[in-house]
Amino acid sequence: MLGSARVAVIVPAYRESRLIGRTVSTLPAFVDAIYLVDDASDDDTGAAASVALDARGSVLTHAVNRGVGAAIVTGYRAALAGHADVLAVMAGDAQMAPEDLVSIVEPVAARRADYVKGNRFVHADAARMPLARRGAGRVLSWATRLATGLSVDDCQCGFTALSATAARALPLDDLWPRYGYPNDLLGMLGSRGFRVAEVPVRPIYADEESGVRPWHALSVLGLIARRYLRERDVRAGEGVSIETA
């Protein structure tokens, strides 16, 4: 627990047998539950996770590949069923520093924010991010700010924490199931007036292989527009709230 808040970490994973042990074995002691969601990997991701997880961990498996957004929703639902107060997400590719988790979780646990995102752009190691990724991230963040009204700077970072209260209020079944889900989720949160904050996190790029391609940015721009149109009625009734942790 962190303070009085029960903390769950969702780890979406696909073909991460090489790195998943490194990810789950370093989660801090304040984490109460770990939900590893194996998105129908065709390697030994699930088995490797089972070996590395301690008593806090569970492995949830999709029978068919549904995408990272869908895997996170599966984890969210399991965490809500387990009575978690804070639902954090860490990818299974060891690109998120476990020591940054407390900064991500604490504003939600203290009820100062409903959703907290990591911001790699403001960290001292920001220059370690590949230039193309930084450029695409800046463009997509600009589009997301324009569509949501939220003052967010690193929209593509998947290192996040969501309050259970917000999770229950969102139409999770409608979340985009694949790459681009962070922008879709921000669209849902912004239109409903939830408090969104960002905290610096360390970008990690070493021997991991990225599956992100240039055309993904174009598809995410379309996704941002799609969510903006779908949330028109909600925005009309709720408004937007912004908070910095």
Side-chain angles (χ1 to χ4, degrees):
M1 300 183 78
L2 194 63
S4 61
R6 180 173 171 80
V7 178
V9 172
I10 293 96
V11 182
Y14 178 64
R15 295 178 177 173
E16 295 292 358
S17 60
R18 186 170 63 90
L19 297 167
I20 196 64
R22 187 192 309 177
T23 300
V24 301
S25 64
T26 56
L27 291 177
F30 68 80
V31 174
D32 299 284
I34 305 165
Y35 298 98
L36 186 289
V37 185
D38 180 3
D39 193 24
S41 300
D42 53 9
D43 62 3
D44 295 326
T45 293
S50 296
V51 170
L53 284 165
D54 57 28
R56 301 171 293 173
S58 303
V59 177
L60 310 174
T61 305
H62 286 173
V64 297
N65 181 266
R66 295 165 53 191
V68 61
I72 289 170
V73 169
T74 293
Y76 279 166
R77 295 204 183 283
L80 290 173
H83 306 292
D85 301 300
V86 183
L87 287 53
V89 174
M90 290 184 68
D93 58 6
Q95 289 189 356
M96 298 172 183
E99 60 269 24
D100 288 334
L101 183 61
V102 65
S103 297
I104 293 283
V105 168
E106 195 276 333
V108 179
R111 300 183 181 180
R112 296 197 308 274
D114 302 300
Y115 186 63
V116 173
K117 288 184 61 62
N119 187 338
R120 299 161 295 180
F121 297 150
V122 297
H123 193 275
D125 292 340
R128 296 187 60 187
M129 291 182 66
L131 184 60
R133 184 173 288 229
R134 272 186 284 160
R138 291 295 191 188
V139 171
L140 294 176
S141 292
W142 169 81
T144 303
R145 287 193 297 272
L146 188 65
T148 66
L150 295 170
S151 182
V152 286
D153 190 43
D154 186 4
C155 295
Q156 307 317 115
C157 183
F159 201 174
T160 64
L162 177 69
S163 73
T165 299
R168 292 189 184 98
L170 296 175
L172 292 178
D173 287 339
D174 195 42
L175 182 67
W176 187 252
R178 298 191 178 274
Y179 184 79
Y181 78 88
N183 313 79
D184 207 37
L185 184 56
L186 285 167
M188 292 180 178
L189 290 161
S191 64
R192 287 164 178 78
F194 285 111
R195 300 164 298 168
V196 175
E198 289 186 313
V199 297
V201 295
R202 178 165 64 95
I204 301 174
Y205 293 94
D207 57 348
E208 303 84 8
E209 295 181 3
S210 174
V212 178
R213 297 293 181 265
W215 57 84
H216 288 147
L218 294 176
S219 66
V220 173
L221 288 173
L223 180 61
I224 292 168
R226 169 185 173 272
R227 177 54 57 189
Y228 178 81
L229 294 173
R230 295 181 77 142
E231 296 291 316
R232 283 179 297 185
D233 291 343
V234 178
R235 284 195 305 275
E238 297 292 339
V240 174
S241 177
I242 304 168
E243 179 170 313
T244 300

